[in-house]
Amino acid sequence: MEKPVRIEIEAVTLEGVLGLPEQAKGVVIFAHGSGSSRLSPRNTYVARLLQGAGIGTLLFDLLTSEEDRIYEQRFDIGLLARRLAGATQWLAARPELKGMALGYFGASTGAAAALQGAAQLGSAISAVVSRGGRPDLAMPYLPKVLAPTLLIVGELDVEVLQLNRQAFAKLAGEKELAVVPGATHLFEEPGTLEQAAKLAQNWFSRHLG
C-alpha cells in the first residue's frame, strides 16, 4: 500500500511516502510543521487512518535536510506553499491518479502553506484540514480559499486557538472550527490525537469524491 517516492521540485529532490489503497476515492497531501518531516508519527497516524477509509496519502519533506538546517526557511510560508504546489502537480500527473480529488492536511506552519496553496490552486483542491495549525500565517490568502476547510485545535492550546478563531473569520467558503477537549498543541493527551484524526477522516470522506 505504501511506497517511497522522490519528487523533483525547484531543482531539489524531496523524499516522500505515497500510500494508495485500492479504489482510493482521493488523495490527501500532508504539509508538516517546522522541524518535522514525512516520518512524523502524528501525521503517519492520521495517514494510516485515512488509508483505512479508502483515501490515499502523500507524506513528503517540504525541505531538504540542508534547507531544514536554516531555521528561517522552516517559516518561509511562500517557499513551503510552492513546494506543496509542486508536489500536487507531480501527483496529479501520475496516470493512476488522473482525475482523482486532492486534499491538503497541514500541521503547525504546514497548515499555512496548505491554505496558501489551496488559495492559489483554486478548485484543484477539494478539501483542507489544519491540525494545531497556524492559518493566521496565511491570512491574506484565506478569503481566496475555495476548498471546504476544517480547523482542528486543542482546547488547551489557548494562543493558537485564538489565532485560529481570527483566521476562521477570514475564510469565505465552507468551514468548520473543531475544538478537541483537553488537548494541548501536540495532541499528546490520551485519546486526543485519535479524535483529531477521526475529525480529519470524516471531513475528507465527505469532500473527496
Side-chain angles (χ1 to χ4, degrees), residues 21 23-25 47-56 198 201-202 205:
Q23 299 180 331
K25 64 184 71 175
R48 298 280 166 77
L49 191 69
L50 294 180
Q51 291 167 12
I55 299 170
K198 191 64 178 178
Q201 177 199 319
N202 291 340
S205 293

Side-chain angles (χ1 to χ4, degrees), residues 3-198:
K3 62 179 179 180
V5 294
R6 306 184 82 193
I7 306 171
E8 305 285 342
I9 306 174
E10 296 185 337
V12 301
T13 301
L14 302 174
E15 304 290 337
V17 179
L18 178 63
L20 284 180
E22 291 185 12
Q23 299 180 331
K25 64 184 71 175
V27 181
V28 172
I29 305 172
F30 282 67
H32 58 74
S34 60
S36 188
S37 73
R38 70 189 186 282
L39 304 177
S40 160
R42 294 177 184 84
N43 283 352
T44 298
Y45 176 85
V46 176
R48 298 280 166 77
L49 191 69
L50 294 180
Q51 291 167 12
I55 299 170
T57 59
L58 173 64
L59 291 87
F60 79 106
D61 295 337
L62 279 75
L63 301 173
T64 66
S65 56
E66 293 78 13
E67 290 172 333
D68 192 57
R69 294 190 187 101
I70 304 173
Y71 183 78
E72 291 76 14
Q73 287 194 315
R74 297 181 180 183
F75 296 89
D76 187 340
I77 305 303
L79 171 62
L80 301 181
R82 290 198 307 274
R83 295 288 171 83
L84 188 57
T88 305
Q89 294 168 356
W90 175 88
L91 192 64
R94 296 179 69 90
E96 70 271 28
L97 302 178
K98 186 175 181 180
M100 197 171 288
L102 301 177
Y104 284 160
F105 180 95
S108 190
T109 51
L115 287 161
Q116 182 171 327
Q120 293 170 330
L121 294 176
S123 59
I125 304 303
S126 298
V128 178
V129 172
S130 161
R131 176 189 58 79
R134 290 291 307 276
D136 57 294
L137 297 177
M139 200 69 84
Y141 294 89
L142 299 185
K144 303 173 185 177
V145 175
L146 301 177
T149 299
L150 170 65
L151 307 180
I152 305 172
V153 193
E155 177 189 28
L156 304 181
D157 193 7
V158 178
E159 182 178 352
V160 171
L161 177 56
Q162 180 59 32
L163 293 171
N164 271 258
R165 285 179 171 144
Q166 294 170 11
F168 184 77
K170 295 292 184 180
L171 288 165
E174 181 181 350
K175 59 185 178 179
E176 186 175 324
L177 175 62
V179 180
V180 177
T184 53
H185 185 61
L186 295 179
F187 295 83
E188 295 175 307
E189 296 72 27
T192 57
L193 182 61
E194 290 83 350
Q195 289 182 57
K198 191 64 178 178

